[in-house]
């Protein structure tokens, strides 16, 4: 099994979700993160004092998938999340040794 | 002759109505997404600053100066800069300074200023998340000058045979009843909101992408402050602490209660659940509807008008989805529709035993008053809509109206005000040199400020 | 004869007391968890809507109609629908319309309406997070009708020999002192809250699972608005802008200051830290205790009563853990206990130099006034508790009271109102077709709305 | 002879000014980081409790007791515990109880109490995030006693030949104009804030580490409530519902509008964007500047003063970065600078046609009034700064002032109040036995409470 | 070393924490996430307009443990988090190459 | 490629960011988490009722890096985040099979 982690722009989440449904991915876990990278932040001003906000709001999407599906998932996400602008984000894949569905105790492919 | 009791109530009423605009800022601010809350509130706050000054410079004069023709306009120069309204011997007994009725003229000036302010602020609800701040100010100033000040003259300036002062056509020639501003304030603002929303256009992604209110506690707080201030708005329009004020006060409670229940019942039936946003919206709908009618219908009549307004406005907020205009916070559904309901229903419910002492259709008065109400309402609706449309196009042509789609996605608070509404994070998401840079450098900032690199 | 000064103050007071209920909504709303904040606020807002209407229909008449026997009840039909209270010639000079003392009768009607409203709203603090909204409305309506309206007659309806009007037994026969409603409002609501909490039962996981306030800034804002409005509540109960109002005003400041300090000192000693929730709670405890006594004790007496109330209420909020009833927001500890303290201490601190002109135990008046105070307090406590218990069981039997444990875990805002209080997320956690579905489909929604699939 | 209209307005004004302090708590609270919001609000709330009591015990007497020498101090014992101010026959007609002018003396006591309270609360903005709560209370009590009460005597206590009462030197001997407290309240508090900030020292990491406001909706709400309450502050200082109150009311609207615009324009030019914090700050700056001048300058003069204050205060808030003192929420930049502007500009803009009936430099009055204004302003500035400095050092010596750096990093709310401002989490981050432990165990808690293990 | 990641319902956090303490796990890291899967979201209504909320609040629990402990941890979590209802969540295990305790620089088993 | 995950005290984030820039790390992803471990929480009191808050706010920093860089990153973070007090946190390294830059589709080292 693989864990596909994607860091993408918040407003593409809906599209990513759609793309994953397209390829039959039934579940995912999403969380809010702050990104730092080539995409620069912005400046805020309070009573004349500047504050440079270096971090950019991003969304992390995590999907556990079969080895066979992993690449499909990566491609689907990359596809859906691309706007071509700096800051589109990253997708990475890490190996997963076991997955368990809490409700049933099922393991491996049956668990996702 | 100055009456201290009347003056006390009008001083308090002025404070109450001024508070309504910050209240509106919260009511509106809570309904938008968190990335737009500051801009939403700024449109209201800036209305106070801008319109307050214009009012003193020439607004009051256009509205309450002696008529310069056809009941359409007051003399803009008569009281320019409030001249002639304050100089006197305040120490003498009895003191000598200009009065309006039993209260000092300046109290009336202040009281009416707060009406002009909130009418302009009301419009902003239609253009949440996307209208740039500069163009808003430009539109607000022009609209107040060309639309509100004259219309206030039509509706609020009463002729006075003694002093020979001539007022506006709706108040005097047409003699439509509008006690506290159903036409001049609510129909006027609602109609302008529709025009402005049409010219500005829909928010990116609307209505496909849902945009749910980010903070309903602010919305309910705002509704509470609005109701509180509205006592000054309605009972204060009696211009004294008298029976008419008492009458308006009670209707301002009862009609609002009924409208809240009306809206909640409609939601329960249609959507299955009564919501807190519905309760807050019903409160405002009821207050809008009873504004013109609070001194002309009986308490039970007030309850009826409130109930009708609560139900109809709850249905009316759906219209924008049918017709596809993005009146973001339902200024049309609540203020235009609510204002029409309250103004027109006077023609049916007017009770001869009320301070207005007019009989409506249900009290054997026939349709006489009804058509006056309809004419007054339609006149303001049409004038406001047409002129607002023209003004919006002019502003669009000169400076443009909207932020770019990217900026809209980023959030207008960051783009237009270089601020973020909330920061609950435990860590410092921000960094860098704080403190003012030497002027030149500071000049460099603006360029950067709020821009995505 | 109408006094414009008295009328001005009573118009303002009515607005002030009405604002207390939205203030209470914030005070209570901030104390619950974020998943219940809207329902908590809705219980207060809906009280305004519902009780306001009942007041006009028959509530005022039951409370202030001529007594129909034993000082227990006013004639429910005398002023049904406020008839006979507003018709008159408002234009005439002097105007002809019903007065109550020096103010228009309608102002008194409006002022008293706000008392009925907030008394009902106070009860809701005991049943946070779990009571369904429908049953709340049903209980609220029944309780106001059978408990509040009659008790208001007992305490607030004074007999008038001139007009021959007969009032309530506590005010006239017993002659217990309760200037602004320590018995009718606070003991009454606190006692009902205890009964309702017992019937509704504990929240899932209480007290094992901690439930900390989700937004203390709302709590402090609410406390501030309550104090502000309470000036209308206490000083307004003088029914005019006179020395008694001034006297009540000062006590309303001093006793509250003392209670805040009393609560903070108690926390410092017992828990090691003075808290902001403690300061807010002390404010309310002081306001409750001075409500009945603000016109009968000297400023120093007011400080003493406030200090005692602050300390004792800070200790009393712990009782629920000892006895195991889930009075979620301490309506008992603050309003019942605070109301008893204020009402009974009059028997000790009553100062003959005060407007009430009665001497308490400490001023050589003996126990005469003391027992009157005790009898009045106990009478309201017992009546309210017993009837509330019965009403709660009846409502439980007819429609049930609670959401299911699963729904409680999910959060009552989503379940009962299909809303979420806050959304600070940067992304769109929501999606799907926005906009109203064609009616039939819409009908389908409710079923779904707020339900976990 | 009691005037009910004047009394009604002063009762309302007292409530309005009291509300300003909770408003200030929100205004200040929203500007700090979320981990300090409760402590920030507590400094304001505790001022109400503490100063309110001191006012009744001896504060009012020091400020308004008969002068005991040189116009520097009132007799502290004359009205100790408010004795002699309330006893009378309230039932008699005309009632017999102490009056002050046309209103009951107690209303004046209450009204002035709210001034003492907010002046102390204003100081707290300079020491956000780091000043321990106990030392704050100690400083607040000492400062009110030694600085505010006497200075209030200097500025607000007018001599009365009839009754032979002698007042303060600034009001009578110097005859500087300060209608509602530009010197006694704003210069006084701003000057003390500077002294206290210098002794307490900078926040850990300031100015390198940015500390942005955590909730700007609170800031705007606070500004709205402050403006609302300020009508009582300024127009209420007329001590009646008269032409002077009307005059002050209008200036309180116009100058504030102008200041808001002035601040926003300054930001637009300097930083590129007008901000919501700027609008809120401009409102306060304008209110501060018009406080002393609202009854002595024409409406256009008020607009000018407001505009100047808006621009200069927007620039002044940068000074702390230049000179390196951590006046966290700009009490100096807004209240000291704004107070100086308003007080001194009277010397230029005073209009003989105004209630003050004095001519300033621009009205041919020469520099006579100007130097009186300057002397009065400087006197209060110096006295307040020096004494505050001494008091701060004394408190530091006795009990210390600051939390430790670790505690500051953790957050002062947790450390000093054992609370967290907000909890929006879906899960329970908290756990463990809720409910009060048996006293001994409870004693153990404090030790632990809020401490990092 | 292994990293055990569990996505569970918010209200079971306390029980999971307890279960881990039972088996002597001294530390964990918790974060709020939004889940999407078989468990459907709910519908909200604002002024008559429906909003379907597809994501369900969940809590992520992360535990780094010895290879030997990994299974015990998984079982403990699954045990404690199970309610038998749809949406109970997932637990997955990924390999960890190094762990360092920042304070001491200790590595491997000593670090947790 | 490796994924370096660090759980550190919130107020060291700036220093960690700086240290990473030092060694030329161009990007990272940050998120708020709640920590549980040796560092105990604190007690809060509301109306006399105690609430023991067991979790401590922490910040998670995630960096994807070349195998060659991984150790440098770990050392830099540990260095920057250390205060020597209990609760400084953990850093762990997990293997990453693929990384993709969404914007360009670049993979592996070029993607970070
Ligand atoms: N080395 C990295 N490790 C972890 N996350 C990273 C790394 N580099 C970038 N990111 C994440 O990817 C987001 C986008 O990266 P950025 O360099 O801004 O744009 P792009 O991916 O288009 O080059 C960043 O905001 C951050 O959240
Ligand atoms: N493929 C997946 N990858 C990552 N997280 C998942 C995946 N499937 C489900 N989840 C997480 O597990 C949670 C529960 O899954 P769900 O399908 O709703 O119920 P169940 O696990 O009982 O079948 C989801 O809310 C989501 O957070
Ligand atoms: N076994 C673990 N798995 C995951 N995270 C852990 C583990 N142990 C500790 N942590 C995280 O590291 C943080 C610091 O750990 P703690 O034991 O408190 O201090 P220290 O690391 O200095 O011994 C915890 O708050 C938690 O977020």
């Amino acid at each position: 099994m693989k864990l596909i982690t994607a860091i993408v722009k918040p407003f593409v989440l809906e599209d990513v979700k759609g793309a994953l449904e397209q390829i039959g991915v039934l579940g995912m876990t999403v969380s809010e993160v702050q990104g730092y990278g080539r995409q620069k932040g912005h400046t805020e001003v309070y009573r004349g004092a500047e504050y440079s906000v270096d971090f950019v709001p991003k969304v992390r999407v995590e999907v556990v998938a079969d080895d066979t599906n992993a690449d499909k998932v990566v491609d689907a996400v990359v596809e859906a999340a691309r706007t071509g602008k700096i800051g589109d984000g990253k997708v990475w894949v890490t190996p997963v040794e076991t997955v368990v569905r809490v409700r049933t105790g099922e393991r491996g492919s049956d668990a996702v | 002759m100055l009456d201290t009791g009347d003056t006390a109530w009008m001083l308090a009423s002025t404070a109450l109505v001024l508070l309504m605009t910050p209240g509106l800022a919260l009511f509106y601010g809570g309904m938008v997404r968190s990335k737009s809350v500051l801009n939403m509130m700024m449109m209201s706050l800036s209305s106070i600053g801008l319109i307050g000054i214009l009012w003193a410079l020439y607004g009051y004069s256009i509205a309450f100066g002696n008529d310069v023709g056809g009941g359409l306009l007051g003399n803009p120069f008569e009281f320019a800069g409030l001249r002639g309204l304050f100089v006197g011997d305040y120490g003498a007994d009895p003191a000598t300074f200009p009065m309006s009725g039993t209260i000092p003229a300046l109290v009336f000036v202040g009281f009416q200023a707060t009406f002009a302010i909130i009418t302009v602020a009301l419009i902003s609800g239609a253009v949440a998340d996307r209208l740039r701040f500069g163009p808003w100010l430009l539109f607000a100033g022009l609209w107040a000058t060309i639309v509100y000040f004259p219309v206030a003259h039509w509706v609020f300036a009463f002729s006075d045979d003694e002093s020979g002062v001539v007022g506006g056509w709706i108040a005097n020639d047409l003699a439509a009843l509008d006690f506290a501003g159903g036409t001049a304030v609510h129909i006027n603002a609602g109609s302008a909101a529709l025009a402005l929303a049409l010219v500005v256009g829909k928010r990116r992604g609307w209505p496909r992408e849902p945009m749910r209110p980010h903070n309903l506690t602010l919305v309910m707080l705002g509704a509470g402050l609005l109701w509180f201030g509205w006592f000054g708005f309605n009972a204060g329009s009696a211009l004294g602490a008298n029976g008419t004020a008492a009458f308006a006060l009670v209707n301002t409670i009862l009609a609002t209660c009924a409208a809240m229940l009306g809206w909640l019942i409609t939601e329960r039936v249609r959507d299955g659940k009564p919501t807190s946003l519905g309760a807050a919206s019903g409160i405002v709908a009821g207050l809008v509807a009873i504004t013109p009618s609070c001194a002309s219908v009986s308490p039970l009549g007030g309850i009826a008008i409130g109930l009708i307004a609560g139900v109809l406005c709850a249905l009316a907020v759906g219209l924008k989805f049918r017709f596809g205009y993005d009146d973001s916070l339902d200024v049309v559904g609540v203020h235009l529709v609510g204002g029409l309901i309250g103004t027109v229903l006077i023609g049916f419910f007017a009770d001869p035993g009320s301070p207005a002492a007019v009989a409506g259709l249900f009290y054997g008065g026939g349709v006489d008053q009804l058509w006056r109400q309809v004419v007054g309402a339609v006149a303001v609706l049409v004038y406001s809509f047409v002129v607002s449309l023209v003004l919006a196009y002019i502003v669009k042509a000169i400076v443009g109206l909207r932020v770019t789609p990217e900026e809209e996605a980023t959030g207008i608070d960051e783009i237009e005000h270089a601020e973020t509404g909330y920061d609950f994070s435990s860590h410092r998401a921000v960094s860098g040199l704080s403190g003012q840079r030497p002027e030149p450098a500071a000049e460099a900032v603006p360029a950067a400020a709020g821009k995505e690199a």
Side-chain angles (χ1 to χ4, degrees), chain A, chain B:
Chain A
M1 309 286 297
K2 307 287 181 197
L3 168 64
I4 297 92
T5 303
I7 309 295
V8 299
K9 288 179 168 168
F11 60 82
V12 301
L13 178 58
E14 274 307 297
D15 309 339
V16 170
K17 184 156 139 287
L20 288 172
E21 277 162 355
Q22 286 292 330
I23 59 167
V25 172
L26 295 175
M28 73 192 75
T29 299
V30 172
S31 51
E32 300 215 323
V33 298
Q34 301 277 327
Y36 181 74
R38 283 180 186 67
Q39 180 189 359
K40 288 287 150 274
H42 64 279
T43 305
E44 300 183 357
V45 185
Y46 297 100
R47 286 187 170 170
E50 301 158 44
Y51 297 68
S52 59
V53 180
D54 304 339
F55 291 93
V56 184
K58 301 281 173 188
V59 165
R60 174 200 284 115
V61 178
E62 288 168 305
V63 178
V64 175
D66 277 346
D67 302 16
T68 55
N69 274 335
D71 293 349
K72 288 226 306 291
V73 172
V74 172
D75 298 342
V77 173
V78 170
E79 188 54 40
R82 176 175 296 148
T83 71
K85 296 231 180 53
I86 289 183
D88 276 354
K90 315 284 178 200
V91 177
W92 59 75
V93 182
T94 52
V96 171
E97 297 177 350
T98 351
V99 190
V100 187
R101 183 195 307 276
V102 171
R103 172 167 47 97
T104 57
E106 292 163 282
R107 296 185 166 243
S109 319
D110 310 348
V112 300
Chain B
M1 177 61 189
L2 185 145
D3 180 300
T4 57
D6 291 343
T7 303
W9 173 236
M10 293 315 295
L11 288 165
S13 292
T14 303
L16 284 167
V17 185
L18 186 106
L19 181 64
M20 287 174 70
T21 301
L24 182 71
L26 293 158
F27 181 71
Y28 277 173
M31 267 190 266
V32 298
R33 288 163 298 175
S34 57
K35 63 183 180 179
S36 315
V37 59
L38 300 180
N39 173 259
M40 195 70 243
M41 295 183 78
M42 276 295 274
M43 287 196 277
S44 287
L45 259 70
S46 58
S47 302
I48 310 180
L50 179 63
I51 308 306
I53 298 300
L54 298 186
W55 183 253
L57 295 183
Y58 57 79
Y60 176 79
S61 208
I62 292 178
F64 294 101
N66 203 343
D67 193 79
V68 293
L72 293 176
L73 207 70
N75 178 349
F77 307 107
E78 187 173 1
F79 302 116
L82 304 187
R83 69 169 170 203
L85 290 170
F86 59 90
V87 181
D89 183 341
Y90 289 80
D93 182 21
T96 69
F97 46 77
M99 299 287 294
S100 93
T102 59
I103 64 174
L106 283 182
V107 178
F108 184 72
V109 171
F111 181 66
Q112 285 293 338
T114 59
F115 280 57
I117 287 166
I118 193 159
T119 305
V120 172
L122 283 171
I123 299 170
S124 64
V127 291
D129 306 347
R130 57 201 191 277
L131 179 59
R132 278 166 42 229
F133 188 60
W136 160 253
L137 289 176
L138 182 53
F139 177 85
L142 290 170
W143 190 84
T145 305
I146 304 176
V147 181
Y148 182 80
F149 298 154
V151 172
H153 181 74
W154 302 358
V155 178
F156 294 139
F158 287 91
S159 303
D160 174 18
D161 304 346
E162 258 179 55
S163 60
V165 172
V166 179
W169 71 276
I170 290 182
N172 304 285
D173 311 333
L174 177 64
L177 293 174
D178 181 359
F179 190 68
T183 57
V185 175
H186 297 289
I187 292 176
N188 203 356
S191 195
L194 178 57
L196 187 56
L198 289 173
V199 179
V200 172
K202 307 171 185 177
R203 282 168 295 179
R204 184 171 165 292
W206 184 90
R208 183 181 36 66
E209 172 183 333
M211 300 158 177
R212 77 176 162 178
H214 87 284
N215 189 342
L216 286 170
T217 65
L218 289 188
V219 174
M220 284 194 273
L221 165 60
L225 291 178
L226 282 169
W227 195 343
F228 176 60
W230 223 295
F231 285 113
F233 201 91
N234 287 358
S237 291
L239 301 181
N242 49 40
T244 303
F247 196 95
L249 178 94
V250 166
N251 271 334
T252 302
I253 295 175
L254 298 180
T256 311
C257 291
M260 185 203 302
L261 298 181
W263 193 299
L264 291 177
I265 291 164
T266 306
E267 286 190 323
R268 178 69 184 76
V269 170
R270 182 190 58 197
D271 313 325
K273 316 251 178 180
T275 70
S276 64
L277 180 57
S281 307
I283 286 171
V284 176
L287 288 164
V288 169
I290 202 64
T291 292
S293 52
C294 57
S296 52
V297 303
S298 73
L300 291 182
I303 291 177
I305 288 178
L307 200 62
I308 294 167
V311 172
L312 292 188
C313 290
L315 298 173
V317 294
L319 295 174
K320 65 184 179 186
F321 296 113
R322 285 246 169 56
F323 298 107
Y325 58 91
D326 182 6
D327 170 19
S328 311
L329 308 183
D330 300 307
V331 187
V332 174
V334 174
H335 294 275
L336 177 51
V337 173
L340 285 169
I341 292 169
T343 305
V344 172
L345 287 185
I346 290 173
F348 296 89
F349 289 98
D351 179 335
S354 71
V358 169
L361 192 58
F362 297 163
Y363 290 75
V367 298
D368 175 59
Q369 191 60 37
L370 180 54
W371 74 259
R372 298 177 191 280
Q373 297 304 114
V374 173
V375 172
V378 172
V380 173
L381 189 160
V382 173
Y383 178 75
S384 177
F385 184 79
V386 173
V387 180
S388 304
L389 210 56
V390 174
L391 289 179
Y393 276 120
I394 291 174
V395 174
K396 186 176 184 179
I398 305 173
V399 293
L401 292 169
R402 294 181 67 127
V403 295
T404 68
E406 293 68 35
E407 292 175 329
E408 201 178 327
T410 302
I412 193 165
D413 289 355
E414 178 183 319
I415 299 303
E416 285 293 291
H417 306 294
E419 295 178 298
T420 304
Y422 308 90
D423 178 2
F424 297 121
S425 65
S426 61
H427 66 84
R428 288 163 26 210
V430 296
S431 73
L433 253 183
S434 149
Q436 293 174 306
R437 297 261 185 80
E439 267 50 24
E443 254 326 309
V445 183
K451 287 272 176 357
E452 293 280 341

